[in-house]
Amino acid sequence: MTALAEAPQREAGVPPKVKFKRQWDKRLSFIALHSVGIAMGVIFMLPILFVFLTSVMKSDQAMTASLWPTEWHFENFVEVFQKAPLLSYFGNSLLYSAVATAGALLSAIPAAYGLSKLRWRGQNLFFMLTVAAMLLPPQVTIVPLYDLWVRMGLTGTLVPLIVPYFFFDAFSIFLLRQFFLTIPKDYIEAAKIDGCNEFQAMYRVLIPMAKPGIAATAMFCFLFTWNDYFGPLLYTGENRDHWPLSLAIASFRGMHHVEWNLTMAATALIMAPVIVLFIFAQKSFVKGITFTGVKG
């Protein structure tokens, strides 16, 4: 109470010039902080704005020096469905991303639990191998893996892209392991005292407490598979019926001409589901990333 009573007296004794300087410094800090934020927002929004403006141009104006549409052709978003079976491609992308994400979580959660909450021989070695797998370029393993899927007769389908996520995804294991380390082990021990085994402790205690980390991991995996181009090009390039949306853009490229307005319209439609997903899941995503890596 004494400190609160003395505060107005100290403020009253401050010279007007000092008060003005303090208020001016606060305003400058506010302007500087928000200016940087606005500048960063503009930088990140420019590519999206460019895609949208190009998508509503005429074909002969797209990718020219004129960046603003002389005529607005919103019918381009309808024409892309007439040029290519985008709904079929959308279903392939959704199947690939959703099933691969589910497989990554099913395999990564138990592995991350074992690396973070259990103690067993070779644990550190397995974790180092997981980190090494993250650093390993995909070009090193793509030849033997492709040969394996060819021998099994599964090229031309989405199976070679989806199945590996059910066995091992190094990044998902690493991310979840780091998040699980932030959860005190006392909760797991208390669940075991109440009669839970390892699986029950993981399912009933750890997973509900780790929802932000799991959501962040799921979003990373979904975004990667949704935007994946190299994998589908390698395994499904010979079969258009199994193309995802990332390959569908090739449908608007002719031998001597690229319809950039339709290409950008298709790109905008491909970006829309990911943007909507991020808007609704951004709180869990940011929270999961914030707490991941606090402990090592």
Side-chain angles (χ1 to χ4, degrees), residues 116-163:
S116 60
K117 300 303 179 185
L118 302 180
R119 292 294 176 265
W120 41 280
R121 182 177 298 178
Q123 181 181 22
N124 293 332
L125 176 61
F126 185 84
F127 178 67
M128 286 189 291
L129 291 175
T130 302
V131 176
M134 292 172 53
L135 304 176
L136 191 67
Q139 291 80 3
V140 175
T141 59
I142 197 65
V143 173
L145 286 176
Y146 184 79
D147 181 67
L148 172 65
W149 293 115
V150 168
R151 292 175 184 273
M152 298 177 65
L154 293 174
T155 55
T157 68
L158 294 172
V159 174
L161 299 171
I162 295 174
V163 170

Side-chain angles (χ1 to χ4, degrees), residues 2-214:
T2 304
L4 292 176
E6 291 178 353
Q9 296 178 2
R10 291 197 302 267
E11 189 68 23
V14 176
K17 291 184 178 180
V18 177
K19 285 184 180 180
F20 177 79
K21 187 176 183 304
R22 290 178 178 175
Q23 293 176 356
W24 183 248
D25 289 343
K26 290 181 179 179
R27 291 175 182 175
L28 287 178
S29 299
F30 179 85
I31 293 173
L33 179 63
H34 287 75
S35 298
V36 172
I38 293 173
M40 294 296 294
V42 170
I43 292 173
F44 283 107
M45 285 298 296
L46 281 177
I48 300 177
L49 182 62
F50 174 78
V51 169
F52 174 75
L53 292 178
T54 307
S55 67
V56 294
M57 291 179 179
K58 295 188 299 183
S59 179
D60 56 355
Q61 185 190 358
M63 304 303 289
T64 62
S66 179
L67 299 179
W68 193 262
T70 55
E71 298 178 6
W72 297 77
H73 294 270
F74 290 98
E75 65 272 12
N76 290 341
F77 293 99
V78 179
E79 188 175 350
V80 293
F81 289 95
Q82 300 172 353
K83 291 278 187 177
L86 284 189
L87 290 179
S88 176
Y89 296 151
F90 177 83
N92 293 335
S93 285
L94 188 61
L95 176 65
Y96 173 28
S97 299
V99 179
T101 301
L105 293 180
L106 287 175
S107 61
I109 290 176
Y113 176 81
L115 288 173
S116 60
K117 300 303 179 185
L118 302 180
R119 292 294 176 265
W120 41 280
R121 182 177 298 178
Q123 181 181 22
N124 293 332
L125 176 61
F126 185 84
F127 178 67
M128 286 189 291
L129 291 175
T130 302
V131 176
M134 292 172 53
L135 304 176
L136 191 67
Q139 291 80 3
V140 175
T141 59
I142 197 65
V143 173
L145 286 176
Y146 184 79
D147 181 67
L148 172 65
W149 293 115
V150 168
R151 292 175 184 273
M152 298 177 65
L154 293 174
T155 55
T157 68
L158 294 172
V159 174
L161 299 171
I162 295 174
V163 170
Y165 284 94
F166 283 85
F167 293 95
F168 184 81
D169 182 43
F171 180 75
S172 298
I173 294 174
F174 174 81
L175 196 65
L176 286 174
R177 185 254 185 189
Q178 296 304 108
F179 189 88
F180 288 172
L181 287 175
T182 64
I183 300 175
K185 196 174 180 180
D186 296 341
Y187 293 104
I188 307 298
E189 298 297 334
K192 292 179 181 178
I193 293 174
D194 290 339
C196 291
N197 54 33
E198 294 291 353
F199 177 79
Q200 291 172 332
M202 179 187 69
Y203 178 74
R204 296 181 179 180
V205 178
L206 189 68
I207 291 179
M209 298 180 66
K211 285 182 178 179
I214 295 174

Side-chain angles (χ1 to χ4, degrees), residues 243-261:
W243 277 11
L245 287 171
S246 56
L247 288 184
I249 299 178
S251 302
F252 306 102
R253 184 178 66 246
M255 183 176 297
H256 303 289
H257 177 66
V258 178
E259 297 179 278
W260 287 112
N261 58 336

